[in-house]
Amino acid sequence: MHPEKSSILLIYTGGTIGMLKDPVKGTLKPIDFTNIMKHIPEIKGLGYFIESVSFDPPIDSSEIEPGIWTRIAEIIEENYQKFDGFVVLHGTDTMAYSASALSFMLEDLAKPVIFTGAQLPIGALRTDGKENLITSIVIAAAKEYGKPVVPEVCIYFESKLSRGNRTTKVNAEHFNAFQSANYPYLAKAGVHLVYDREHIRYPGKFRDLVVHKNFNQHIAILKLFPGMTPEYMDAVLGYSAMKALILETYGAGNAPTGAWFLDRIQKAARRNIIILDVTQCRWGSVELGRYETSRHLLNAGVISGYDITTEAATTKLMVLLAQNLTDDEVKMLLNKSLKGEITVP
Ligand code: ASP
């Protein structure tokens, strides 16, 4: 080991950054990690101590499921003392879910975990993968007075560093694929790499890393739309093992007030299903009780998701529900910012 150099572990899970076109089918498929490194010899010039681990086989991120989050977290846990920072190469499709999940799994994280990827494979001439990967490594290695500058789970993409659990994939075409609508970017990369230290979360007391490895996947998402039928709602609520429902509502958390809707919500609440109100709007927050059309949800025991993303809500619920907590404790924690995922007024 080189004590004077920052040490970084690259964790390659797959995604477009490391894909090649299958000559027969014409589809993009992940390739192995050595091939990626061949395309980016510049990494050696950074002067860091870099090691890598690769998923075998690497996957398209549409195949991600909670077991894979556990694998990523275990790799970080096993290598936590040896490295100063971690860069996770991941497909963009579900990157915001994975970064959110890892933020809730890694309790007392004090080192950078930077997710990145690309919209074009690293072997393509116009690839965005090189800049994304190189800058992610620089961010993961950055220290000030011996301490990491960004000790959080983040996504770095197209010149912007955002908190992982505040991020959503918004573009399947442009390089600028991710957005952090309700929280400032933690860094912007231009000629200079400028960190917004006021908005970066720094751990209070030093504690050992604890990894939550279990998930309760018995959750559902019900996105409201005008014209939704009671039968459709019954089909979703008929999921008997359901422990929590994310209700994707309109605007500031609003929903229909008709008895057909409210009776079903009340019945679900009586079944001890935790109902979390998350707005369909990208910007802004749920404000239960601001309108008549949300007051009835509040009365039915629905919990405000404030400005949480659906990605963060899904993964926060899965992690919390797998711990030995009472429903009231889960509800209390949903209304609390655990890893900077919500703004509680
Ligand atoms: N389908 C790819 C994935 O998410 C897309 C990408 O990496 O950009 O793995």
Side-chain angles (χ1 to χ4, degrees), residues 14-19 28 30 59-64 90-95 117-120 157 169 177-178:
T16 299
I17 191 162
M19 290 195 185
L28 283 169
I59 54 169
D60 186 296
S61 76
S62 301
E63 312 277 10
I64 291 282
H90 191 290
T92 58
D93 289 349
T94 59
M95 192 187 290
Q119 294 278 61
L120 277 179
F157 217 87
K169 180 172 179 181
F178 291 95

Side-chain angles (χ1 to χ4, degrees), residues 72-242:
I72 300 173
E74 281 175 346
I75 293 172
I76 293 172
E77 185 181 35
E78 281 156 22
N79 292 282
Y80 196 64
Q81 298 310 328
K82 191 172 164 200
F83 292 91
D84 295 311
F86 302 85
V87 173
V88 184
L89 292 167
H90 191 290
T92 58
D93 289 349
T94 59
M95 192 187 290
Y97 286 92
S98 294
S100 298
L102 266 291
S103 77
F104 299 118
M105 294 168 77
L106 302 174
E107 196 72 59
D108 293 316
L109 178 73
K111 295 188 178 184
V113 175
I114 313 296
F115 277 73
T116 196
Q119 294 278 61
L120 277 179
I122 203 132
L125 277 178
R126 293 179 46 250
T127 185
D128 50 332
K130 283 191 184 186
E131 197 281 323
N132 285 346
L133 177 53
I134 290 172
T135 307
S136 295
I137 294 173
V138 172
I139 292 169
K143 286 190 209 163
E144 211 171 49
Y145 307 113
K147 297 228 164 79
V149 177
V150 194
E152 290 205 44
V153 180
C154 296
I155 290 181
Y156 178 77
F157 217 87
E158 183 65 2
S159 308
K160 291 189 304 257
L161 181 74
S162 48
R163 179 171 294 154
N165 59 33
R166 287 288 194 161
T167 313
T168 300
K169 180 172 179 181
V170 292
N171 210 313
E173 165 68 22
H174 294 154
F175 289 153
N176 197 357
F178 291 95
Q179 188 168 54
S180 170
N182 287 317
Y183 199 74
Y185 291 100
L186 304 183
K188 289 198 180 141
V191 172
H192 302 286
L193 195 46
V194 182
Y195 294 98
D196 180 348
R197 286 175 176 75
E198 248 182 61
H199 289 99
I200 296 171
R201 273 184 102 235
Y202 290 99
K205 271 203 197 118
F206 177 81
R207 292 197 181 90
D208 286 340
L209 179 76
V210 174
V211 184
H212 302 293
K213 295 181 188 172
N214 297 322
F215 298 89
N216 183 333
Q217 293 167 240
H218 295 303
I219 63 169
I221 301 176
L222 179 63
K223 180 172 181 162
L224 302 185
F225 58 93
M228 183 173 80
T229 60
E231 292 82 357
Y232 175 77
M233 204 169 161
D234 286 340
V236 176
L237 296 177
Y239 175 18
S240 59
M242 191 196 319

Side-chain angles (χ1 to χ4, degrees), residues 22-37:
D22 183 311
V24 183
K25 294 189 209 147
T27 51
L28 283 169
K29 267 180 42 190
I31 52 163
D32 67 73
F33 194 68
T34 25
N35 255 314
I36 300 188
M37 294 309 265

